[in-house]
Amino acid sequence: RFEVSVTPVSGLDLSVDYYYFTADELNNLGGQPAVSTYGDECLGQEITPTLQWMVNRFLYVQSLVSIVIPGRGLEEVLPEPAHTWKTFQLSLYWFF
């Protein structure tokens, strides 16, 4: 995992996390049946930019996007082609 974070103004934090997933061994017995073994040690990569902003003393905003790119370890064993997938999150916290 590698993270870069900046705070351009007080209360606002921007960060980007990068993950490189690997398997210690190709045997994954006990895991999901589709991936009881891996085709390679490289399982994939993930990039997650995150925004955290304390707008004022009552409102906090958190937003992130995750982009996951499957690696050879999954591509070689899944019954269908592995595709890049994305998730989005927006959370608002109101304090009173």
Side-chain angles (χ1 to χ4, degrees):
R1 174 182 178 194
F2 179 75
E3 179 181 5
V4 175
S5 180
V6 296
T7 304
V9 295
S10 179
L12 178 65
D13 181 66
L14 303 168
S15 63
V16 177
D17 288 280
Y18 171 78
Y19 301 87
Y20 186 81
F21 299 106
T22 60
D24 291 335
E25 57 184 60
L26 300 181
N27 179 352
N28 188 34
L29 294 176
Q32 294 294 323
V35 288
S36 58
T37 59
Y38 297 124
D40 187 89
E41 290 88 10
C42 176
L43 299 180
Q45 303 171 66
E46 178 178 347
I47 301 167
T48 305
T50 303
L51 169 115
Q52 298 177 77
W53 182 24
M54 192 70 188
V55 179
N56 56 43
R57 62 184 220 148
F58 300 107
L59 179 62
Y60 175 74
V61 177
Q62 181 181 34
S63 177
L64 63 91
V65 176
S66 286
I67 302 162
V68 180
I69 305 159
R72 289 183 312 275
L74 294 175
E75 290 175 330
E76 294 178 6
V77 297
L78 292 175
E80 303 212 3
H83 299 285
T84 297
W85 66 91
K86 302 166 199 77
T87 61
F88 305 90
Q89 174 184 327
L90 174 63
S91 301
L92 302 173
Y93 302 90
W94 184 260
F95 304 100
F96 53 93

